[in-house]
Amino acid sequence: MLRLHKDKKNEKEREQKKEAVVKEQQEEAEEELSVLSKKGKGAVKKIITDVDATVKEAAKESLKQLRLLEEGRCPECGRKTKQFLFTSICPYCGWSSFISPQQKGRMTVHLKDGTTLQCDSTFDTQKGNILCIRDDVVRMKVPSTNISYIEFGWTEEEVAERRKQKEMEETAICDWCGKTAHRAEMLVTFCAFGTYQERYLFCSPKCMLSFQNQYPMRIHRDCYHRRCQECDECIKKYYDTSSKKILSVEEVAKET
Ligand SMILES: [Zn+2]
Ligand SMILES: [Zn+2]
Ligand SMILES: [Zn+2]
């Protein structure tokens, strides 16, 4: 979501930058256009059609990439990306999306000679250069070969805030009714049908109760009534229950 926001903002910025570039090139283009006009209207028309086709093709490609990103997939190879707090990375083809810290001057480019460059954001030109941007101005173009590493200066507060935000964004599927819900708001239950403890998520107390009623006898390890941390019966354990609500059948019955 954050990325999409950024893309929109970038689009605006690009619009503005485009104007300056366009003005510069306009004179030149007009000259060429007048030469072409002499050759006939057909030549000009053909160029306009070509441009339209290119723009259309690019728009189609952007839309496709957007959809893939929304599905948590790599816009380049279409496979599942790995989600980190501020970044998505494709472990298959190496594609990545980086978000720079919002506050200024937090990107530190460490050069191989030991010196550092401070900027708001960096941009990889994909042509062997990194652009250092400060106050919306490209201040430096640094050959990637001179760079040792680039440091992202996130504060602990930013990390904590993003973690919270991400948890709210994350969705999961209810193991009973199949509905999608925010993961942070779902109820969780652990149970072992075999020797492996599994985690089940539910969108509502009703769904969890239905599940537990459906499978009461088959859970021989009494997973519904004890916390995973306190149990040695199962091979697989879950410790990450801090943010999730664990309710027993009795508690659920009381709530509904
Ligand atoms: Zn990929
Ligand atoms: Zn449900
Ligand atoms: Zn257990």
Side-chain angles (χ1 to χ4, degrees), residues 72-87:
R73 287 178 177 275
C74 171
E76 266 166 31
C77 73
R79 292 202 255 186
K80 274 264 172 212
T81 52
K82 262 197 158 328
Q83 306 289 323
F84 296 95
L85 274 190
F86 300 99
T87 312

Side-chain angles (χ1 to χ4, degrees), residues 174-179 202-204 207:
C174 174
D175 281 309
W176 183 256
C177 73
K179 209 176 99 185
F202 302 99
C203 71
S204 65
C207 281

